[in-house]
Amino acid sequence: MDSDGVLDPAEVFDQLGADYEAAFHEAPLVWEGLDALLARLRPGDEVLDLGSGTGRPVSERLSGAGCGVTGLDVSAAMIELARQRVPEARFELTDIRDRDFPPESFHVVVAFFSFLTLSRAEIRTMLERVRRWLAPEGMLALLTVPGDIEQRVVRFLGYPIRATSFTAEQWPDALEEAGLEVLWSRSEPFVPTGRSRAETEQHLLLLARKT
């Protein structure tokens, strides 16, 4: 918790645990993104799941398709759940900003909501690193909540947290500046399961390819 009473991401997700999975498991763009990746992946392909949470549904489904999955998360509670739920995948307790991999280590990188707690400068750095980690023609699936915000205090499932994003118009530019070609994007509202319509979020899914 910082001086303003705002929790850091590890604290928030440690407390949420399986409640996070329940709230977002039915988000349509999560499943659309997974379907798009599975149409392009082959058994044995390597996948990096940034902000892997409980492992469901992303790591579970991609691992079930025969891919080698590495998941990273800053929350010890989330990592423990993920290791129980998806034992065939590899999960590491780490801040995604602190982990590095050799060039061309992965065929796909998935970043579902995992950049929301970074600054814009950190997001741009992560996108450049993702491009380096991807094999030629490798894919990034990015799901986020668009908005012209940086480190704004918001309520996330009842917890105060600082959030950053770009608008739906700015995200393609950020990806292309990092050398990632946007193939398509989708946007639609979603109410987290068990929450009121007042907590409706606009979700933005982008599928990009290493150029």
Side-chain angles (χ1 to χ4, degrees):
M1 181 182 295
D2 65 19
S3 58
D4 295 325
V6 179
L7 300 177
D8 68 39
E11 292 174 308
V12 171
F13 290 103
D14 278 346
Q15 294 186 54
L16 282 172
D19 290 342
Y20 174 82
E21 178 187 321
F24 289 92
H25 190 271
E26 301 305 319
L29 291 185
V30 168
W31 294 96
E32 185 170 344
L34 287 173
D35 288 342
L37 293 177
L38 287 168
R40 294 165 169 83
L41 284 165
R42 298 167 297 178
D45 282 352
E46 290 294 326
V47 176
L48 177 62
D49 186 1
L50 294 173
S52 49
T54 68
R56 289 179 176 167
V58 176
S59 292
E60 181 179 60
R61 190 159 184 219
L62 297 177
S63 181
C67 297
V69 178
T70 299
L72 310 181
D73 205 282
V74 74
S75 164
M78 291 294 195
I79 289 292
E80 182 178 358
L81 287 168
R83 287 171 175 166
Q84 294 169 3
R85 285 161 159 70
V86 196
E88 61 273 22
R90 304 175 296 274
F91 295 100
E92 299 180 23
L93 176 61
T94 184
D95 189 312
I96 62 173
R97 295 168 294 186
D98 298 334
R99 187 67 165 91
D100 201 5
F101 296 95
E104 302 184 3
S105 293
F106 299 99
H107 300 89
V108 159
V109 174
V110 183
F112 283 4
F113 307 114
S114 49
F115 292 162
L116 282 166
T117 59
L118 309 183
S119 69
R120 285 187 170 179
E122 289 169 335
I123 291 171
R124 290 188 174 97
T125 296
M126 285 301 305
L127 292 175
E128 292 170 358
R129 295 171 73 192
V130 164
R131 184 190 184 282
R132 187 172 73 249
W133 296 337
L134 284 171
E137 302 295 307
M139 309 292 295
L140 167 66
L142 188 150
L143 183 57
T144 190
V145 179
D148 189 11
I149 58 172
E150 181 161 19
Q151 296 295 282
R152 179 184 297 174
V153 178
V154 300
R155 301 293 297 187
F156 176 69
L157 299 181
Y159 294 92
I161 195 168
R162 296 188 187 278
T164 298
S165 191
F166 297 103
T167 66
E169 294 74 27
Q170 292 168 333
W171 268 110
D173 291 339
L175 288 161
E176 288 167 13
E177 286 170 9
L180 297 161
E181 176 192 6
V182 177
L183 301 180
W184 54 258
S185 64
R186 304 278 189 274
S187 183
E188 65 176 68
F190 175 70
V191 181
T193 303
R195 299 285 163 167
S196 70
R197 291 194 175 275
E199 296 178 84
T200 299
E201 301 178 348
Q202 189 70 25
H203 286 177
L204 174 67
L205 172 68
L206 301 109
L207 191 68
R209 176 175 59 197
K210 178 176 180 175
T211 58

